[in-house]
Amino acid sequence: MSRLQFSAYFDFIRIRFLTMLAYRVNYYSGILIYTLNIGVYYFTWKAIYGSGGELGGFNAVQMTTYIAVSWMARAFYFNNLDREISADIRDGSIAIQFIRPYNYMLVKMMQGLGEGIFRFFLLMIPGMAVALLLYPIELPTALSSWAGFLTMLFLSFLINSQLNIITGIMAFFVENNEGMMRMKRVIVDLFSGLIVPISLFPGWLAKVLEFLPFQAITYLPGSVFTGRIQGVGIWNVLGIQLIWFVLLLIPMIWLYKLARQRLFVQGG
């Protein structure tokens, strides 16, 4: 990739960030919504824990911290790339995108990153600050935990965006993938550990999820942030994320090539 091409892709990040900035008022309400979500889960788990003890390896404070950081991390890695791609396919604008001198999937990833950076600074950080004032959250003290978590947060964005792109491209083959997109969102939120930590799942299901990419989105970064994974273990879970990032490139690139061939066959 030439320096000019790299600069062009960087512009997609900048343009999406500025576009989001124009509608930043919407994200002030997002801070409130995410904080309320944390509150609902906090009081639910507080009632479950009662006088103390541990569940799934989490004590009450760790569980509160896990809930807060998981929801605020979602504010960063969440995007609607699947819906954007599906809309491009339905209205036919994908044909123009494919003949332009750039990689369409990489452009969507850069646009998602621009949105993620906006959400990080204007939703995740302010939202976490509000949550710290309202709930008993324990921040990591080790620098390695902070460095590991922030690195894993970026990889969470990449993996979630890959799943979104794969789901969006499926519109080429099923025409209407609305149900698929809704199902994907529910599966990611549930099996990534956002709603319930994976350590609380039945043993057989937790074992199955070890061989799926979802835990790499929320559960593993959250476990690093809460201190349940430390030291060398951080490198191990980083490795899991990197493996899934590479593995998901295979179906993403394959479907992209099939989509281009299908478009050329139908469009001439």
Side-chain angles (χ1 to χ4, degrees):
M1 184 184 297
S2 68
R3 185 175 179 179
L4 182 60
Q5 287 176 314
F6 180 82
S7 177
Y9 285 115
F10 182 80
D11 280 342
F12 284 107
I13 299 176
R14 181 179 60 83
I15 292 169
R16 178 59 66 93
F17 182 91
L18 293 175
T19 301
M20 302 298 293
L21 193 61
Y23 300 98
R24 60 187 179 276
V25 175
N26 293 339
Y27 287 86
Y28 298 152
S29 61
I31 294 172
L32 176 61
I33 292 170
Y34 273 70
T35 304
L36 289 175
N37 281 335
I38 294 170
V40 170
Y41 283 96
Y42 165 67
F43 288 110
T44 300
W45 285 108
K46 185 178 179 180
I48 292 172
Y49 274 94
S51 60
E54 286 192 358
L55 286 174
F58 290 89
N59 59 40
V61 174
Q62 284 180 323
M63 183 63 78
T64 303
T65 304
Y66 176 85
I67 292 166
V69 75
S70 296
W71 275 97
M72 290 306 167
R74 185 182 186 272
F76 169 71
Y77 68 67
F78 177 84
N79 57 59
N80 286 308
L81 294 183
D82 48 354
R83 295 189 177 278
E84 292 178 19
I85 294 171
S86 180
D88 286 346
I89 293 170
R90 286 199 304 270
D91 64 23
S93 62
I94 190 76
I96 303 299
Q97 302 281 356
F98 275 2
I99 63 175
R100 287 176 176 168
Y102 53 60
N103 184 289
Y104 176 74
M105 288 193 303
L106 187 54
V107 166
K108 301 311 292 184
M109 192 73 82
M110 294 301 102
Q111 290 175 335
L113 182 57
E115 180 176 343
I117 293 172
F118 174 87
R119 286 169 166 266
F120 180 83
F121 287 108
L122 275 83
L123 205 167
M124 180 179 172
I125 292 180
M128 196 65 184
V130 173
L132 280 168
L133 296 174
L134 297 177
Y135 311 113
I137 296 170
E138 193 173 73
L139 298 178
T141 56
L143 184 61
S144 59
S145 294
W146 280 105
F149 172 74
L150 292 175
T151 303
M152 295 183 72
L153 183 63
F154 177 67
L155 289 169
S156 295
F157 159 78
L158 293 177
I159 293 170
N160 185 65
S161 295
Q162 287 176 307
L163 292 173
N164 283 348
I165 289 173
I166 289 170
T167 307
I169 291 178
M170 288 301 296
F172 262 111
F173 310 99
V174 299
E175 296 185 7
N176 186 347
N177 64 340
E178 181 66 30
M180 188 179 297
M181 289 188 292
R182 292 183 180 181
M183 182 177 67
K184 182 269 306 173
R185 183 168 297 181
V186 172
I187 288 174
V188 169
D189 284 349
L190 178 60
F191 291 154
S192 69
L194 176 68
I195 298 174
V196 179
I198 292 176
S199 59
L200 293 178
F201 283 31
W204 65 269
L205 182 54
K207 285 291 183 183
V208 170
L209 293 178
E210 289 180 4
F211 298 95
L212 297 174
F214 308 116
Q215 65 167 346
I217 298 174
T218 301
Y219 180 69
L220 296 181
S223 295
V224 168
F225 192 88
T226 56
R228 297 183 72 249
I229 298 176
Q230 300 179 18
V232 178
I234 296 176
W235 290 103
N236 293 335
V237 293
L238 272 171
I240 292 173
Q241 283 189 310
L242 287 171
I243 288 171
W244 277 114
F245 171 70
V246 173
L247 289 177
L248 288 172
L249 285 175
I250 298 172
M252 191 171 76
I253 294 172
W254 178 63
L255 286 171
Y256 179 66
K257 289 182 177 179
L258 285 180
R260 290 182 67 93
Q261 293 173 2
R262 183 179 179 87
L263 179 66
F264 293 150
V265 168
Q266 290 183 345

